[in-house]
Amino acid sequence: MHTLLAGLSRYLWPLAVANLLANIGIVVTGGAVRLTGSGLGCPTWPRCTDESYVAHGELGLHGAIEFGNRLLTFVLVAIALLCFLAALGARHRRATRLSLVIGLGIPLQAVIGGITVLTDLNPWIVAGHFLLSMAMIMVCVALLDELRSPDRGAAPPLPRALAWATFASGWVALYLGTVVTGAGPHAGDTDSPRNGLDPATVSQAHAISVYVLVALTVALLVVAVRGGHQWLARVTGLVLLVEVLQGILGWVQYWLDLPVALVALHMLGAGLLAAGLARVGLAVLPHASENEAHADEGTQPHAATHLG
């Protein structure tokens, strides 16, 4: 068993990357389920129907789409399990803990997804399902940061405060985005409830939160550049680019009455934004490359990277 884990450890980095990509990908496929009106394609949970775990022909295309998205959960489980075993093999304590959190989040997501079906796609529970995905994406980024990231000390108080304010503001924008979705037309099924809020009003509130987020990100970028914090500046610049593109896409989809393709791209952008916000928050924390897992077969010389 030890030999197997040691051999698997060399794949820790690609498995960590796969974890991130899979968790962003299932956000997009989950969005496709809702945007195609297939949210109740399998009308119950954990079975697809009262008689079967598998979609059958009578459920049509919607059943196939929803059942297909459920099957992707097993892909996430396989990647997360392999990543956890690779971290064990690398004897990297923090990577093992982070990969375990990612793995435990998947069944939790499945249960919340089941509750959304059993409540006929209640928009507030759907929002929780989405926000948990954003949190899992952030943990995936934390794992990548732990494995490979430039050496850095803790950032000074001002950029650190701005980074965490940006992080918090980003969460507000993500949350308000789910409120807008809950008030809009893409319920996932023609009979699913909406949250009853005025779409124009909540869209304006969401837009204001995005303006605040962009302003904080710009301020952080200026402070990082002027302070010579190159890694923080680079990360913040990329996040600002994502925010601007997301903002433009959000306005375009609003004025075009929410076409399905643009809404799907906006959900992809939300996943990328969540990843970027995590990267910004981590960039102001100290990191030492000597504690990284290099995914080779040698033992790690530093106690912090050992399980025992």
Side-chain angles (χ1 to χ4, degrees), residues 126-252:
V126 172
H129 191 46
F130 173 81
L131 292 173
L132 179 55
S133 286
M134 298 298 102
M136 288 181 64
I137 288 170
M138 291 182 177
V139 178
C140 289
V141 172
L143 176 58
L144 294 179
D145 184 77
E146 180 64 36
L147 296 177
R148 294 186 186 177
S149 194
D151 287 350
R152 58 183 184 267
L158 180 56
R160 190 164 63 245
L162 283 172
W164 287 109
T166 300
F167 182 84
S169 178
W171 266 108
V172 171
L174 288 170
Y175 170 72
L176 289 176
T178 68
V179 177
V180 173
T181 299
H186 298 299
D189 187 85
T190 54
D191 297 325
S192 295
R194 301 284 74 203
N195 60 25
L197 300 176
D198 177 56
T201 301
V202 293
S203 294
Q204 184 61 40
H206 178 51
I208 292 172
S209 73
V210 172
Y211 296 150
V212 172
L213 172 60
V214 170
L216 286 169
T217 307
V218 170
L220 176 59
L221 180 59
V222 170
V223 169
V225 171
R226 295 186 65 179
H229 308 294
Q230 295 183 1
W231 175 245
L232 178 59
R234 186 184 309 170
V235 169
T236 305
L238 289 174
V239 172
L240 180 60
L241 177 61
V242 172
E243 291 170 0
V244 171
L245 293 176
Q246 268 290 81
I248 294 172
L249 184 57
W251 276 113
V252 171

Side-chain angles (χ1 to χ4, degrees), residues 5-298:
L5 292 179
L8 190 59
S9 69
R10 71 182 65 189
Y11 301 107
L12 177 54
W13 173 254
L15 284 168
V17 173
N19 248 336
L20 175 61
L21 295 178
N23 277 278
I24 292 177
I26 204 165
V27 170
V28 178
T29 60
V33 170
R34 180 169 57 83
L35 294 170
T36 57
S38 305
L40 295 178
C42 286
T44 190
W45 187 89
R47 297 174 182 243
C48 187
T49 68
D50 291 333
E51 297 79 24
S52 174
Y53 286 96
V54 180
H56 53 71
E58 293 182 5
L59 295 175
L61 180 60
H62 292 318
I65 292 173
E66 165 63 5
F67 181 68
N69 190 63
R70 292 188 183 189
L71 287 179
L72 289 176
T73 300
F74 295 99
V75 177
L76 263 70
V77 169
I79 295 172
L81 178 59
L82 289 172
C83 188
F84 173 72
L85 294 175
L88 278 176
R91 306 186 70 186
H92 194 304
R93 180 179 297 174
R94 289 189 292 272
T96 301
R97 290 173 177 171
L98 289 168
S99 58
L100 178 61
V101 170
I102 295 167
L104 293 176
I106 296 170
L108 178 59
Q109 270 290 65
V111 171
I112 296 177
I115 294 173
T116 66
V117 172
L118 296 176
T119 57
D120 294 328
L121 307 182
N122 180 290
W124 300 109
I125 299 177
V126 172
H129 191 46
F130 173 81
L131 292 173
L132 179 55
S133 286
M134 298 298 102
M136 288 181 64
I137 288 170
M138 291 182 177
V139 178
C140 289
V141 172
L143 176 58
L144 294 179
D145 184 77
E146 180 64 36
L147 296 177
R148 294 186 186 177
S149 194
D151 287 350
R152 58 183 184 267
L158 180 56
R160 190 164 63 245
L162 283 172
W164 287 109
T166 300
F167 182 84
S169 178
W171 266 108
V172 171
L174 288 170
Y175 170 72
L176 289 176
T178 68
V179 177
V180 173
T181 299
H186 298 299
D189 187 85
T190 54
D191 297 325
S192 295
R194 301 284 74 203
N195 60 25
L197 300 176
D198 177 56
T201 301
V202 293
S203 294
Q204 184 61 40
H206 178 51
I208 292 172
S209 73
V210 172
Y211 296 150
V212 172
L213 172 60
V214 170
L216 286 169
T217 307
V218 170
L220 176 59
L221 180 59
V222 170
V223 169
V225 171
R226 295 186 65 179
H229 308 294
Q230 295 183 1
W231 175 245
L232 178 59
R234 186 184 309 170
V235 169
T236 305
L238 289 174
V239 172
L240 180 60
L241 177 61
V242 172
E243 291 170 0
V244 171
L245 293 176
Q246 268 290 81
I248 294 172
L249 184 57
W251 276 113
V252 171
Q253 71 173 11
Y254 179 79
W255 291 113
L256 295 180
D257 294 325
L258 304 176
V260 169
L262 292 185
V263 175
L265 283 175
H266 201 53
M267 294 191 70
L268 172 62
L272 296 176
L273 176 60
L277 291 171
R279 205 59 158 150
V280 165
L282 292 163
V284 296
L285 300 178
H287 176 80
S289 60
E290 63 182 8
N291 290 332
E292 294 175 0
H294 298 287
D296 56 22
E297 295 183 355

